[in-house]
């Protein structure tokens, strides 16, 4: 079974703090993704990576950066957290061998005060 | 511009009846479609998918139908069970112009399905 884990289930941060969200997958997947889910807006892609040290912007990259130093690990960084970044953050991974099916982690609910 | 649309924010059905969730898309380059189910406070889980070369794919109680000419797909759940109550997301992927998948999925906004006992 594919397992995608996220470092925290719930997180509370203050405006202006630097926030790190970490994601680890154990299936040697090439591709990893960060989404945010907000009510009425569905899942929106922030960044994705198709290889170590490679990254591409998704639909809403502003205010975020990412890091992929190892194949199994993909980090999302909020450089200076703002209240409009309060959201559910979801990490996913996929393999090119299996096509487009993405496997998701449990999510991190982030509250920025 | 919303490329994948789920026009019904919610749907309520009785246990044992059929649930039909609909999804429309506008990008004619989409060639692979997926359905995900999401419970509150959990990540989405993959349910079923269909390639554009097919018009139907079945897996147990779940069947996905694709109508390419109408740019429409639907997920049928028969019979519906209370445990099926969740948000269902439709997603689509397009082949890169240079060939091969671009691995990105475009998601709809989701439909909340409630199955009443």
């Amino acid at each position: 079974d594919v397992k995608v884990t996220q470092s925290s289930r719930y997180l509370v941060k203050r405006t202006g703090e630097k926030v790190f969200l970490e994601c680890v997958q154990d299936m040697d997947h090439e591709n990893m993704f960060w989404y945010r889910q907000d009510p009425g807006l569905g899942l929106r892609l922030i960044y994705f990576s198709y290889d170590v040290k490679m990254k591409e912007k998704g639909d809403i990259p502003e205010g975020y950066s990412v890091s992929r130093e190892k194949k199994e690990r993909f980090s999302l960084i909020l450089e200076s957290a703002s209240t409009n970044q309060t959201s559910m953050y979801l990490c996913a991974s996929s393999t090119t061998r299996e096509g487009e099916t993405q496997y998701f982690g449990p999510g991190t609910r982030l509250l920025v005060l | 511009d919303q490329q994948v649309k789920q026009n019904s924010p919610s749907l309520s059905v009785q246990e044992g009846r059929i649930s039909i969730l609909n999804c429309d898309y506008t990008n004619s380059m989409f060639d692979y479609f997926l359905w995900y189910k999401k419970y509150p406070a959990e990540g989405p889980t993959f349910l079923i998918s269909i390639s554009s070369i097919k018009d139907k794919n079945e897996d147990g109680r779940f069947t996905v139908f694709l109508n390419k000419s109408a740019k429409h797909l639907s997920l049928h759940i028969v019979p519906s069970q209370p445990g099926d109550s969740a948000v269902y997301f439709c997603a689509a992927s397009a082949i890169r112009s240079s060939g091969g998948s671009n691995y990105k999925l475009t998601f709809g906004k989701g439909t909340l399905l409630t199955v009443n006992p």
Side-chain angles (χ1 to χ4, degrees), chain A residues 4-75:
Chain A
V4 180
T5 57
Q6 295 183 227
S7 50
S8 306
R9 293 300 303 271
Y10 301 95
L11 213 49
V12 180
K13 295 291 181 182
R14 296 211 172 272
T15 302
E17 278 193 78
K18 192 167 186 176
V19 182
F20 293 86
L21 302 181
E22 213 161 59
C23 175
V24 177
Q25 49 93 4
D26 66 356
M27 285 302 292
D28 202 35
H29 283 177
E30 297 86 359
N31 313 307
M32 296 188 75
F33 307 82
W34 275 106
Y35 295 87
R36 61 179 283 178
Q37 184 202 357
D38 301 288
L41 296 177
L43 273 68
R44 294 181 292 167
L45 182 64
I46 305 171
Y47 267 98
F48 70 104
S49 167
Y50 52 88
D51 201 352
V52 175
K53 296 194 185 295
M54 305 302 289
K55 61 184 179 184
E56 282 194 30
K57 293 181 180 178
D59 301 317
I60 51 165
E62 298 78 19
Y64 303 94
S65 62
V66 289
S67 171
R68 192 160 180 209
E69 297 296 319
K70 293 184 178 181
K71 191 175 185 180
E72 68 271 16
R73 195 177 296 267
F74 192 34
S75 301

Side-chain angles (χ1 to χ4, degrees), chain A residues 9-10 31 33 35 37 40-43 45 48 50 56-57 59 88 90 94 96 100-107, chain B residues 31-32 34 36 38 40-46 49 87 89 93-94 96 101-105 107-110:
Chain A
R9 293 300 303 271
Y10 301 95
N31 313 307
F33 307 82
Y35 295 87
Q37 184 202 357
L41 296 177
L43 273 68
L45 182 64
F48 70 104
Y50 52 88
E56 282 194 30
K57 293 181 180 178
D59 301 317
M88 166 74 98
L90 293 159
S94 71
T96 52
E100 293 80 354
T101 305
Q102 294 181 15
Y103 298 89
F104 284 82
Chain B
D31 70 327
Y32 195 80
L34 307 90
Y36 282 84
K38 186 181 184 299
E42 291 185 16
T45 54
F46 170 70
S49 62
V87 176
F89 290 101
S93 174
R96 284 181 188 268
S101 166
N102 67 2
Y103 316 126
K104 285 171 56 177
L105 295 178
F107 283 85
K109 293 185 177 181

Side-chain angles (χ1 to χ4, degrees), chain A residues 97-112:
Chain A
R97 293 186 303 278
E98 206 177 313
E100 293 80 354
T101 305
Q102 294 181 15
Y103 298 89
F104 284 82
T108 296
R109 185 160 292 283
L110 173 67
L111 173 62
V112 182

Side-chain angles (χ1 to χ4, degrees), chain B residues 13-31:
Chain B
V13 300
Q14 284 299 120
E15 181 178 6
R17 307 294 287 268
I18 184 171
S19 295
I20 300 176
L21 297 103
N22 293 304
C23 179
D24 297 294
Y25 61 96
T26 58
N27 187 344
S28 57
M29 297 300 291
F30 285 149
D31 70 327

